[in-house]
Amino acid sequence: MDRGWFIIVALLITLSSLIFWVLLTTVILRRQSQMKRRRSESLGNLVRESVIAGKFLGTDRLGGEDLLAYLMEWHDHSQTVEIPEPIRREIREFIGSGWIMERIVSRLNSRSLGRRVEGLNLCELLDGETQVSLLSEALAREKKLFLRFKIVYLLCLTGLPGAVDPIVRSMGESVELYRRKVLSMLRDFLSLLDEWASPDWSRLSPEGRRVLILASRTGMKEWYHPFLTAMSQSEDETLSGEAAEVLLDVYSSGDIYRQMMDSQYHSRRVRQSTVYRLFKSKDLPDRGESARFLQSEELYPSVVQALSEVIREKPRLIPEIFERYRDAGTEREKTGYARVLATRIRYFIMRLKTDDSAEIRDLLHDVITLKLSSPIINFLNLNKNMAVENLLLDTIRPHLGNNEYFLRQCQLYLDRTLQEKLGLPEAPAYLNRKKIQLTTGDRRYMFLIALATVSVPFIIFFALHGAHLPVMSGQEKLVTFLFMYHRLFAFYTISINLVYLFFMFQSWRGITEKQQSWESAGKKFLYANGLLPSVSILAPAYNESQTIVQSVYSLLSLDYPDSELIIINDGSGDNTLQNLIEQFQLRVIDYTVTGELVTSPVRGVYRNDSIPNLLVIDKENGGKADALNTGLNVARGDFICCIDSDSLLEPEALTRMMFQTLTREERTVAIGGNIMPVNG
């Protein structure tokens, strides 16, 4: 037999064997799954009988692995229903008096992920002291990140102060991501931290001090205040920032603010946080203090941000800010107040009709000069009041000749009718957004790639048989080429199927590991404070009036602890926006889009205070990418989920995806999911 055909036959036998192995493995795994489900149902019935009888039944009927599986059923039962204390006591006595404790320790030390998880779950049935001892050892050994988080959570649930020390030690041995997540989880257990706290904080590691700073949020001990004061002056910016945050939250007073503003002892981060909280803590600081902060290069952004949020929450303060703007002693102070008032510029535009004063025109001039003209353009596009329109056009007309940025914005985004009133020419071609076209060079390059691909068999044929071609007849050449081609094709087909089988095996391993990790986590643990990152869901909608309401209800019902839903109505010509407004009782709000991505104009932002995680943006049509960019400008989540407005997500889809951020110590940049069509 020709050597080439021998290789093909060998590959074919290998492929057949692998396919048979895959089929056999599938059958075996299915049978095992069915047997496991039947055993679980039987043991679940025994648990229910025990609860009804008020005693721990069935241990005399079970043995070996069945007995451990029975205890696992008790653990699963305890996640949804509280086990009566008499039965819990019997379970503890039963576990402590036999070989089961050895099995639990063996599972905690196992290399198998599933067995380690079983050991952790069985630990929850033990008394608190024993749990702390076993879990502390497990935490020191564990390498899987999400299991370390779970062990920390189980240690906290014991409620014993001794559980905090192993948590602190684990923080010192891990990356900053782990430390931040653990600190977030510990916020739910401040009373436990308060019991653990000791005034002898000098002996603590930096991680221990971070935990102690968190414990001091209770304010229950007199020495917390001097400890926080000392930590806020630490050279470690992380410690100083966290201590200053607690001081400002728990011990806020005029003295604290003045102390935190002392640049000699505190970092820039502390001073910025302090001035931000100062402006948010009361109506307004006095004018002299505000002017001094606005003059500071490092504090200026914090003052502007705080004041913008203050007048959004308390519109009654707008006249006071405007008065300070008029009376500003320096250009920097005036510019700062102008940036704040730009967030509520609609209020001043409407005043033009009754109060066409120079001060309001000056404010509009400053807002345009600061490149904050988007709210003015949006107002003009939506306005129906001709008197206000004429006054506003007269106000902005002088800026078109000497402000190139404002001119370009008006050419791009202002309604064409208004552009004609202002005498603006059409936007230059370079400002228009066009699709990228294929060039002649691109087409030539693609043709050459296709030609090279088709030529491969002929190149191989000439390389193998080129020396014999002159003495071969036409028929011999054709037959030789066909035999060679078929052999190559057979080799290619079998080889690529082997590759597919290899990838299928790798996928099976990956899916099995992910599913095992997901089942091991448990949703109760995943919902711990700050463990999963926040997610902003962006859903562009264009002429979706028939399905938009149902889609929003579906997305709002996702089972995830921290998410916001942003619907972007991309200039729909039907009742998409109106249906949303009526169904969810939305109202337009003053919301300044602060992102840096240039998009089509936003016409309005809508919200219902009783549905805080829903935001609807109405904008001019610009395409799906433009709508997503608008959503990115307002999104506040740690991660962004971009979907179509008529798409459906499984209730646990976000939780399953974001759980992957807990499985590795490296920072997760992006996560993908499976997309499939759903009909009916």
Side-chain angles (χ1 to χ4, degrees), residues 465-492:
H465 304 285
H468 307 291
L469 289 179
V471 297
M472 294 172 65
S473 66
Q475 184 177 1
E476 289 175 330
K477 292 176 184 177
L478 178 61
V479 171
T480 304
F481 175 79
L482 290 177
F483 267 95
M484 183 213 70
Y485 182 81
H486 288 153
R487 187 164 59 187
L488 285 175
F489 186 76
F491 179 78
Y492 165 79

Side-chain angles (χ1 to χ4, degrees), residues 10-30:
L11 288 174
L12 187 60
I13 294 173
T14 304
L15 179 62
S16 302
S17 302
L18 288 174
I19 292 175
F20 176 76
W21 172 78
V22 169
L23 293 174
L24 181 62
T25 303
T26 302
V27 172
I28 293 174
L29 290 176
R30 184 173 296 177

Side-chain angles (χ1 to χ4, degrees), residues 54 209 222 226 229 242 311 350 357 406 416 447 478 491:
R209 295 181 184 184
E222 292 182 0
T229 302
E242 292 175 357
I311 65 170
M350 294 304 297
S357 63
F406 182 57
R416 186 58 197 160
F447 173 77
L478 178 61
F491 179 78

Side-chain angles (χ1 to χ4, degrees), residues 560-597:
Y560 194 77
D562 188 7
S563 66
E564 66 171 345
L565 173 60
I566 302 174
I567 305 294
I568 306 103
N569 179 46
D570 190 32
S572 298
D574 60 4
N575 293 327
T576 298
L577 179 62
Q578 192 60 33
N579 289 349
L580 288 171
I581 292 174
E582 292 175 359
Q583 185 66 34
F584 298 100
Q585 300 178 4
L586 304 174
R587 62 180 180 84
V588 67
I589 61 172
D590 287 310
Y591 193 102
T592 302
V593 179
T594 57
E596 298 180 357
L597 297 174

Side-chain angles (χ1 to χ4, degrees), residues 492 495-505:
Y492 165 79
S495 299
I496 200 167
N497 276 280
L498 286 172
V499 172
Y500 287 158
L501 274 175
F502 172 75
F503 283 137
M504 186 177 72
F505 175 70

